[in-house]
Amino acid sequence: MSVSNILIKRGLSQLRVIRIPSLTIFLAIATTSFLLIPRMDYLRETALIDGMPVMLSPFANYFAVLNAITLLLLLAQMIFSGLMAWRLSDHQLTQMAPDRSN
């Protein structure tokens, strides 16, 4: 993100099309890594201390909701990564296309 901001300031304005997808990817990764997964690990450890798997513990519904949110954020990461790759490759293909006017 910071590299594309530097390149945009230097005149490569075509990188503006990846700002929103890359920001969304970073937010999804941060949310999953720092909020959801540690909470799921805590719920799993708490259930194991009580001597049962997490899906049989009283926190099973909460764990299932966190798991569904994590999977949705993973899906969003994959979609926005594909969108970012498509936008970057689409621009490079049009920029490097040979001139066939001869």
Side-chain angles (χ1 to χ4, degrees):
M1 184 79 164
S2 60
V3 172
S4 43
N5 284 337
I6 291 170
L7 292 174
I8 288 169
K9 288 180 183 179
R10 304 252 184 213
L12 292 174
S13 62
Q14 62 268 23
L15 292 177
R16 287 179 196 223
V17 296
I18 65 165
R19 275 186 172 171
I20 298 298
S22 63
L23 183 61
T24 306
I25 291 170
F26 290 147
L27 289 175
I29 290 171
T31 302
T32 304
S33 298
F34 297 116
L35 295 177
L36 298 177
I37 291 177
R39 186 67 182 162
M40 290 169 65
D41 287 340
Y42 172 75
L43 292 175
R44 187 179 298 117
E45 290 298 322
T46 304
L48 289 175
I49 288 172
D50 291 340
M52 63 183 77
V54 72
M55 288 310 199
L56 296 177
S57 73
F59 303 113
N61 290 333
Y62 184 50
F63 186 86
V65 168
L66 291 178
N67 192 28
I69 293 171
T70 303
L71 290 175
L72 287 175
L73 287 174
L74 176 65
L75 180 66
Q77 290 175 31
M78 292 187 320
I79 289 170
F80 281 106
S81 295
L83 177 67
M84 208 164 63
W86 176 69
R87 285 185 176 177
L88 285 173
S89 66
D90 185 42
H91 180 71
Q92 288 176 355
L93 289 176
T94 58
Q95 187 179 23
M96 294 182 172
D99 185 22
R100 297 185 181 182
S101 60
N102 293 337

